[in-house]
Amino acid sequence: MISRAQFELLTFLAKTGPIKATKVQTKSVAELLAKGWLLKRDGLLEISPSGLKELEPYQVKRAIIMAAGSGSRMLPATKDTPKPLVEVNGRQIIETLLDALVAAEIKDITIIVGYQRQQFKSLLANYPFLKFVTNDDYVNCNNISSMMKVLDRLDRGTYICEEDLYVTDPAIISMYQYDSNILGYYCQETTDWCFKLQAGCVTDYRQGNTDCYNEYGISYWTKEDCAQLRRDLPAVYAQPEGSQQFWESVPLKWCHENYQVRLRECQKEDIVEIDSYQELLQIRQK
């Protein structure tokens, strides 16, 4: 297993291409040059074929998008249209996320559908590789019920994404991931779902706080943590009121001792989370 410092340097060079060697002077450079994972020639530093091979175990190839809900807070836009298929400035909301995933070479994508599910088939025209799983329990249960429908898909490192995210910076979907993490941005005060950090890991997950990080609904889970989710999600779901939980509360709150989830920090403007019809109108006016 490569170290985090080695991973960050290799992924940086894999993304940017060759850079001047003088721009990177770290112990990791010497180590990676000695291993043959980096090449230095003509004053430039670049990742080698063997370095790319070392990154292969960290390449993300699967994503799950939760899109079963009716989007009642966005009425009347969602009266006859699923929330992810609502158009914003000529594009459906979900297309911004799908394009970001495809740009990261992720095409093993499962969309959990429910409300007006037949309309999602229109996405196949541009994304023929999509898979759909139906959750009819969305009417009476919270989104943990959607995760219960795809437990068998949690068998490798996986992105899990909400459906109402209008992605403005596709780079938030990275091709490589080192550990389980969740997107968030720092805020002084919020009434939304948020968390704090302790020793670099997510803690104190709740709705509303100060001096914290606003949660964005894009997270990555390693193969090992996906296996843990397959155990913890059914255990919580079986409890009284378990079906009314948000799925994120399982690893971030109820069973947090089983996980070490890190923050992947982003900027507030990287994603627009559209929770209401008023917010939809505001972004359409921009």
Side-chain angles (χ1 to χ4, degrees):
M1 182 176 181
I2 64 178
S3 69
R4 176 182 291 276
Q6 292 172 336
F7 169 82
E8 291 178 352
L9 181 54
L10 288 173
T11 53
F12 174 75
L13 289 171
K15 180 180 179 180
T16 64
I19 63 171
K20 289 183 179 180
T22 54
K23 289 188 176 182
V24 185
Q25 298 291 337
T26 67
K27 180 181 177 181
S28 293
V29 170
E31 294 173 346
L32 296 179
L33 283 169
K35 291 177 180 290
W37 298 349
L38 292 184
L39 299 174
K40 187 177 181 181
R41 49 193 176 195
D42 300 327
L44 297 177
L45 198 65
E46 62 182 293
I47 190 169
S48 69
S50 59
L52 286 171
K53 188 171 182 61
E54 287 298 317
L55 284 179
E56 286 180 3
Y58 302 93
Q59 184 173 355
V60 188
K61 298 183 178 180
R62 174 170 292 173
I64 294 171
I65 301 176
M66 310 184 70
S70 61
S72 58
R73 286 182 295 176
M74 269 179 55
L75 286 169
T78 53
K79 181 178 182 294
D80 300 306
T81 304
K83 185 177 181 180
L85 301 186
V86 170
E87 286 196 5
V88 176
N89 301 328
R91 303 184 70 199
Q92 293 173 317
I93 294 172
I94 199 172
E95 286 183 304
T96 65
L97 175 58
L98 290 173
D99 288 346
L101 290 167
V102 172
E105 300 184 12
I106 301 170
K107 291 189 176 181
D108 183 349
I109 303 173
T110 300
I111 302 179
I112 309 168
V113 297
Y115 175 70
Q116 298 284 348
R117 57 182 176 269
Q118 70 281 358
Q119 294 191 35
F120 284 91
K121 296 298 177 71
S122 64
L123 293 171
L124 293 172
N126 294 323
Y127 312 94
F129 42 80
L130 295 177
K131 305 176 184 69
F132 300 101
V133 171
T134 299
N135 175 22
D136 287 327
D137 296 329
Y138 79 91
V139 178
N140 300 310
C141 303
N142 214 322
N143 69 7
I144 189 175
S145 64
S146 286
M147 291 305 299
M148 292 297 295
K149 306 297 183 183
V150 292
L151 292 178
D152 61 320
R153 305 289 296 165
L154 297 175
D155 62 353
R156 65 172 64 177
T158 303
Y159 276 116
I160 301 178
C161 311
E162 293 180 4
E163 86 291 1
D164 58 352
L165 304 175
Y166 186 84
V167 177
T168 59
D169 181 8
I172 62 169
I173 300 293
S174 175
M175 182 183 298
Y176 301 101
Q177 290 290 350
Y178 190 77
D179 48 21
S180 295
N181 58 71
I182 189 166
L183 276 179
Y185 66 89
Y186 175 78
C187 58
Q188 293 182 329
E189 185 174 4
T190 182
T191 57
D192 291 333
W193 285 94
C194 59
F195 54 83
K196 294 195 174 189
L197 296 180
Q198 183 175 7
C201 294
V202 171
T203 187
D204 196 20
Y205 181 68
R206 63 165 79 177
Q207 189 171 16
N209 210 335
T210 58
D211 188 26
C212 57
Y213 290 89
N214 246 87
E215 175 204 356
Y216 266 148
I218 295 179
S219 56
Y220 171 76
W221 304 87
T222 63
K223 178 180 179 180
E224 294 75 19
D225 281 347
C226 279
Q228 189 65 47
L229 284 171
R230 291 200 305 270
R231 294 187 287 270
D232 291 338
L233 285 165
V236 172
Y237 194 72
Q239 295 178 15
E241 302 301 318
S243 65
Q244 303 306 312
Q245 302 299 318
F246 289 105
W247 83 268
E248 301 98 320
S249 68
V250 175
L252 300 182
K253 182 177 180 181
W254 304 113
C255 305
H256 67 92
E257 69 279 358
N258 296 336
Y259 306 85
Q260 289 188 321
V261 183
R262 294 188 175 272
L263 162 72
R264 189 154 63 92
E265 191 167 4
C266 66
Q267 302 302 311
K268 184 176 182 179
E269 59 268 20
D270 291 341
I271 305 174
V272 179
E273 193 168 12
I274 306 174
D275 286 327
S276 67
Y277 185 66
Q278 186 61 36
E279 290 177 354
L280 174 64
L281 293 179
Q282 289 174 353
I283 188 174
R284 279 177 170 174
Q285 292 169 0
K286 291 182 179 180

